[in-house]
Amino acid sequence: DNKLRIKQKDANGNEITLTQGFNGATMRALLPNKLFFINNYNLPIYKDSLFSDPRADINNVRAWLDTNSANITDKFIPITQQTIINPNILSNTVQFAYLHKDNADYRYFKNVSVVKSDATKLQKPIKTLSFGDSLTEDSMVATLKNRLESLGATVTPVGTYASAYTKNLVGEGRGYWSYRSFVGKDNVSGATHTLASSGATSTGKWENPFLRLATDTDKTNHPTWCFRFTGANKELSYADDADKTGNFYIFDFAYYLSNHSVQSPNVITIALSTNDINLDAGTYTQAERLQYMLLGLEIMVTQIHAALPSVPIAIIPCPAWGVSNDMYTRFAAETATWVESCIKKVAELKALHSNLEVVPVYLHQNRDMIYETGAGTNINANSDLKYSTMGDSVHFGETGREQYVEP
């Protein structure tokens, strides 16, 4: 029959090593539930950005996209290092599939929904609010604004924080911050955080404008959402603290809008996880890092939806990290698990919160080319060919930002 058979699984139900050293669970495709396109705008997909560990014999993986097109010449698209996808030939559901040539008995596949919209839908005023870390703070609001306006929109960013890095456009992209920071679990990230002044329309990088004093109702209904604010790297929640007296604080989006006079956005993006994973490894275990990313996502989405139930929220689980031995290892060991967990969590939250989607920007970014290298050293005395390590495999350059916001 046509069913996928897996002979061996580990305790978690994942496939273990097959033949020829290929491990289908270790090098697995990170496929979202939906892909998004604008009609008539092609979008690239990068093969090594698709997999959890592209070092693991990716050249022997044959991957393709079944477009479900009635036209047989458009039905199958091989996924190569860079594959340009024309949305006009895609059906409403496509299937990603791949196999390893040394074990062709096993095929891996997933059906993915396709959402296509016409660019004319963007020809209107749009207010954007972007949550994020340094990847968002570093010109991402400006890049998104420019791209949307090139498609006919009139964009007004909203928020309370701006800096030279943001090109003085407001948002909530704050370098060093994480999901833990925004909800008040971790109040040391780059510096000790303080509460933003009541009524302030402009806040500093280390000021949290989202937290208010938790009420007895908050503590009863959401004891794990309410945290101390002591300036600690690991604040206690009301559920965890044996001492129930004193102040606890909770992320409240409606409070943020009203107390800081922020205009209600039409679109919200949440692009976090880089610092949740890369910072404070000595304070939080890997399991705890994942726990608080999922909790932070749940708190933020639920509280935003309570204030603005019809506003679309785009969750960006991560970018494609640059190519280096360290980044490959970190991505495979932890980020890939977060991407899958984020996709699953958003699917669960969608049952309660409308207009919530994962935007898989990592599929559309080139790991090799969007990160800058150093000046370089001549490979030998007779050659002007240079070599260099990647100067920064976390923060991509302008081309990476452009790929990030492509429709």
Side-chain angles (χ1 to χ4, degrees):
D1 56 35
N2 294 322
K3 294 182 180 178
L4 177 69
R5 290 192 177 93
I6 299 175
K7 294 180 180 178
Q8 292 180 296
K9 297 181 179 180
D10 63 18
N12 296 318
N14 297 316
E15 181 188 357
I16 61 175
T17 303
L18 301 175
T19 62
Q20 302 296 326
F22 175 68
N23 185 317
T26 299
M27 197 192 76
R28 59 200 184 277
L30 303 177
L31 292 166
N33 294 326
K34 288 184 180 180
L35 288 175
F36 300 91
F37 296 89
I38 291 179
N39 291 331
N40 303 316
Y41 284 82
N42 295 346
L43 200 58
I45 289 178
Y46 293 93
K47 184 178 179 183
D48 64 349
S49 297
L50 175 66
F51 287 94
S52 58
D53 189 358
R55 286 182 302 183
D57 207 15
I58 194 170
N59 290 332
N60 286 319
V61 172
R62 297 172 181 169
W64 62 93
L65 177 68
D66 184 345
T67 68
N68 285 314
S69 173
N71 185 345
I72 194 63
T73 59
D74 293 331
K75 183 170 174 58
F76 297 110
I77 302 175
I79 302 298
T80 59
Q81 169 53 10
Q82 176 178 274
T83 301
I84 304 299
I85 305 296
N86 175 2
N88 297 336
I89 67 172
L90 303 181
S91 302
N92 292 334
T93 301
V94 298
Q95 184 178 90
F96 281 88
Y98 62 97
L99 59 84
H100 190 276
K101 73 174 187 179
D102 289 335
N103 196 312
D105 289 340
Y106 294 86
R107 296 194 178 197
Y108 303 83
F109 50 87
K110 179 177 178 178
N111 292 330
V112 177
S113 298
V114 174
V115 177
K116 294 183 280 187
S117 297
D118 197 82
T120 56
K121 291 185 176 181
L122 293 171
Q123 295 173 6
K124 61 184 179 181
I126 299 174
K127 292 192 289 290
T128 61
L129 174 59
S130 297
F131 287 91
D133 45 41
S134 56
L135 296 175
T136 301
E137 182 181 1
D138 188 8
S139 303
M140 192 60 75
V141 172
T143 305
L144 178 61
K145 181 179 188 294
N146 293 339
R147 191 68 185 98
L148 290 174
E149 290 186 338
S150 75
L151 295 167
T154 302
V155 177
T156 302
V158 301
T160 67
Y161 175 65
S163 71
Y165 291 107
T166 71
K167 298 187 177 178
N168 296 314
L169 295 174
V170 291
E172 298 300 343
R174 298 168 183 262
Y176 288 95
W177 283 47
S178 62
Y179 276 109
R180 301 188 300 260
S181 306
F182 279 99
V183 302
K185 172 63 180 176
D186 182 349
N187 290 314
V188 180
S189 58
T192 301
H193 296 187
T194 60
L195 294 170
S197 300
S198 180
T201 57
S202 177
T203 63
K205 184 168 181 171
W206 315 114
E207 294 179 315
N208 192 321
F210 301 97
L211 302 182
R212 63 157 173 81
L213 275 172
T215 65
D216 289 340
T217 300
D218 295 325
K219 297 171 190 174
T220 299
N221 292 342
H222 299 293
T224 62
W225 294 14
C226 305
F227 297 102
R228 296 286 190 190
F229 199 93
T230 67
N233 209 202
K234 201 173 188 179
E235 302 282 7
L236 289 174
S237 72
Y238 185 77
D240 295 331
D241 198 341
D243 180 5
K244 306 300 183 184
T245 63
N247 293 337
F248 291 84
Y249 294 83
I250 190 169
F251 178 101
D252 187 325
F253 192 72
Y255 166 84
Y256 160 77
L257 293 176
S258 62
N259 188 53
H260 298 285
S261 301
V262 177
Q263 297 180 65
S264 295
N266 305 117
V267 175
I268 294 172
T269 61
I270 301 177
L272 293 164
S273 77
T274 299
N275 295 330
D276 294 84
I277 292 171
N278 290 337
L279 301 181
D280 303 323
T283 303
Y284 292 88
T285 65
Q286 180 171 339
E288 287 176 324
R289 293 193 289 274
L290 179 59
Q291 173 190 349
Y292 289 112
M293 282 189 282
L294 292 172
L295 179 63
L297 173 61
E298 178 181 354
I299 293 171
M300 293 176 72
V301 165
T302 303
Q303 296 289 67
I304 291 170
H305 187 264
L308 300 173
S310 62
V311 169
I313 307 172
I315 307 298
I316 294 119
C318 75
W321 287 8
V323 173
S324 72
N325 288 329
D326 182 44
M327 287 297 104
Y328 269 145
T329 299
R330 288 195 204 183
F331 194 96
E334 191 161 348
T335 304
T337 299
W338 158 245
V339 171
E340 294 166 320
S341 299
C342 179
I343 291 169
K344 182 179 179 181
K345 184 68 174 179
V346 167
E348 294 171 357
L349 290 170
K350 277 178 66 66
L352 301 173
H353 310 295
S354 61
N355 296 325
L356 176 68
E357 301 289 355
V358 170
V359 180
V361 298
Y362 59 90
L363 292 181
H364 311 299
Q365 287 189 299
N366 188 306
R367 290 176 181 265
D368 294 311
M369 301 174 187
I370 64 175
Y371 295 87
E372 297 176 356
T373 58
T377 303
N378 284 17
I379 199 164
N380 61 45
N382 298 316
S383 174
D384 58 5
L385 177 67
K386 297 182 182 297
Y387 68 93
S388 173
T389 58
M390 187 172 288
D392 185 340
S393 49
V394 174
H395 299 90
F396 41 77
E398 179 61 29
T399 301
R401 287 192 288 273
E402 294 290 344
Q403 290 185 337
Y404 195 99
V405 303
E406 272 300 290

